[in-house]
Amino acid sequence: MTGLIVGIGVILVVVILFTIFRILRLINIARGSDKKQASSGNKANAYLMLGFLIVSAILLTWYSVDEFETYTVPVASIHGVEVDRIFWITMIVTGVVFVVTQILLFYFSYHYRYREDRKALYYPDNSRLEVVWTIIPAIVLSLLVFSGWKVWTDITAAAPEDAEEIEILGYQFAWTARYPGKDDQLGNFDYRLIDAENQWGMDFTDRSSFDDFSPLEIHIPKGKPVLFKIRARDVLHSVYIPEFRLKQDAVPGMPTRFWFVATKSTAEMREETGDPDFNYHIYCTEVCGRGHFSMRVRLVVDELEDYMAWKAEQQPWLQANPDYLAKVPHDLKEVAVISAGLDQLENNQAEKEN
Ligand SMILES: [Cu+2]
């Protein structure tokens, strides 16, 4: 509501300014003075330029200070520190240039407005000046691009051998994760095997699939490399975890990956932010349809031992969906029953019945 009133107010002010300008013009035309008409239009524009400079400088400063905390999210990954460093270097260099050029642009428009008592200087070109203002930005930009590229290649280098592999699958409109289970190997998948229950298209002719599990809540360990293998089932999505400075597109038919090391557990972040309800989330940052706004899932960062304990408790997907044993080749059935813990389940049941 307040937004609407402010919006209407702004429109009214613009209309009033336009009307005043129009009236001044008409008065000048009525007086029959062309020169004066040009001069007053110029003068109005010159002061508007100056006004725009001052008002936008105030708004920009106020916004930047007031909202500083909302766009400087605490960093909680190793590479995130590097990303922040390069971000702020770029921000400062381009920010200073932006402020200086905008001040010159609007102040000059005001200062050198048309006046009857002065004449413009004819100054066609200056080669030395052009060389200077081409070479300096070229060097500065090359340095920025090169250091950014260096950080990016470091971040996207191959994941360490001992990384925890987790598959992140995006679909309209949610994220789901698949873990490799006890064998630390994610099973193969094929999109043609996707159905209502098997939403990853897990291939049960691959023995690595038998103990894979998909938890309701995504957990990752602190201080250990985690490799996200990212897929999309329908349209483009994008994995985004702001605290980790992690952003990677999920592309249908083209698996992507991103590895990182989380440095703060959920509990530590709650303490740091002073917010007992703080939670990490995986957001979708690619407009993917009507429900895009709601596409996020909670992510819990545990201490390593808690993570291991949590992982050991998880139930293989096949255990909860034993119908899919029918898809397992005959010679692997026994392995599948054992890997999925279905034999233990049967034993327990038998014990209960006795
Ligand atoms: Cu999405």
Side-chain angles (χ1 to χ4, degrees):
M1 195 59 203
T2 342
L4 186 72
I5 294 171
V6 171
I8 293 173
V10 169
I11 293 171
L12 283 177
V13 169
V14 172
V15 169
I16 290 167
L17 282 176
F18 180 76
T19 316
I20 292 173
F21 184 66
R22 189 85 195 126
I23 291 169
L24 285 176
R25 263 185 79 106
L26 288 173
I27 291 172
N28 276 323
I29 289 170
R31 279 183 185 157
S33 155
D34 278 359
K35 266 249 166 88
K36 261 196 181 155
Q37 179 194 332
S39 165
S40 81
N42 258 310
K43 220 172 171 178
N45 271 311
Y47 282 104
L48 280 175
M49 291 275 187
L50 200 62
F52 183 81
L53 175 67
I54 293 166
V55 171
S56 40
I58 292 170
L59 284 178
L60 188 73
T61 313
W62 166 74
Y63 174 81
S64 304
V65 173
D66 197 58
E67 295 293 316
F68 190 72
E69 280 196 359
T70 56
Y71 60 85
T72 47
V73 180
V75 59
S77 69
I78 291 180
H79 77 269
V81 177
E82 281 298 292
V83 171
D84 273 16
R85 192 178 57 84
I86 205 81
F87 173 81
W88 282 111
I89 291 174
T90 309
M91 193 69 181
I92 289 165
V93 172
T94 53
V96 167
V97 174
F98 173 79
V99 169
V100 171
T101 50
Q102 297 313 299
I103 290 175
L104 290 179
L105 181 66
F106 288 99
Y107 178 71
F108 277 22
S109 306
Y110 158 77
H111 189 75
Y112 296 106
R113 68 190 178 277
Y114 170 77
R115 272 195 354 218
E116 260 177 87
D117 57 344
R118 65 182 176 196
K119 223 176 158 196
L121 169 71
Y122 182 64
Y123 191 76
D125 69 277
N126 181 330
S127 305
R128 193 191 292 168
L129 211 56
E130 283 188 33
V131 167
V132 168
W133 75 43
T134 305
I135 286 182
I136 292 179
I139 293 173
V140 174
L141 284 176
S142 304
L143 285 175
L144 284 180
V145 169
F146 181 76
S147 42
W149 170 80
K150 178 90 183 34
V151 171
W152 181 244
T153 38
D154 286 350
I155 292 172
T156 52
E161 283 280 305
D162 64 332
E164 285 284 315
E165 277 186 26
I166 302 170
E167 183 179 70
I168 304 288
L169 176 74
Y171 59 92
Q172 288 172 319
F173 296 97
W175 295 107
T176 179
R178 181 164 70 111
Y179 288 67
K182 292 201 171 64
D183 63 356
D184 284 330
Q185 289 274 326
L186 275 168
N188 290 339
F189 60 84
D190 187 330
Y191 71 92
R192 285 168 297 193
L193 297 171
I194 292 174
D195 58 38
E197 273 93 48
N198 182 4
Q199 50 183 332
W200 303 267
M202 277 189 273
D203 177 2
F204 289 106
T205 61
D206 177 12
R207 57 199 303 159
S208 303
S209 300
F210 303 153
D211 61 350
D212 290 2
F213 68 86
S214 174
L216 288 173
E217 202 170 52
I218 302 175
H219 283 240
I220 62 163
K222 183 189 118 184
K224 190 180 180 204
V226 172
L227 171 65
F228 276 175
K229 291 185 157 177
I230 301 163
R231 284 163 65 200
R233 211 171 62 189
D234 34 43
V235 296
L236 276 181
H237 300 279
S238 192
V239 173
Y240 180 42
I241 311 173
E243 294 84 3
F244 298 157
R245 310 296 190 260
L246 187 167
K247 194 162 181 278
Q248 182 66 269
D249 280 1
V251 188
M254 196 185 89
T256 51
R257 48 181 58 213
F258 199 101
W259 77 272
F260 61 97
V261 182
T263 51
K264 291 169 192 168
S265 68
T266 299
E268 285 170 334
M269 273 300 257
R270 285 182 180 169
E271 209 165 290
E272 184 181 323
T273 55
D275 175 8
D277 299 322
F278 172 87
N279 270 304
Y280 292 104
H281 286 97
I282 298 181
Y283 300 90
C284 179
T285 180
E286 183 78 55
V287 180
C288 56
R290 207 186 260 176
H292 166 70
F293 70 94
S294 65
M295 192 170 161
R296 66 166 194 181
V297 67
R298 189 192 298 171
L299 177 97
V300 180
V301 181
D302 289 320
E303 297 293 337
L304 189 56
E305 49 275 30
D306 298 337
Y307 171 76
M308 287 312 199
W310 169 85
K311 201 175 157 187
E313 269 172 24
Q314 300 304 307
Q315 185 191 26
W317 188 85
L318 198 55
Q319 195 181 98
N321 300 271
D323 293 352
Y324 282 78
L325 269 179
K327 311 239 175 199
V328 177
H330 207 71
D331 55 324
L332 287 175
K333 277 239 160 76
E334 209 175 330
V335 182
V337 168
I338 296 167
S339 300
L342 281 162
D343 54 337
Q344 276 171 331
L345 217 61
E346 264 165 37
N347 287 347
N348 290 349
Q349 241 157 23
E351 257 169 45
K352 260 184 212 162
E353 272 161 29
N354 289 338

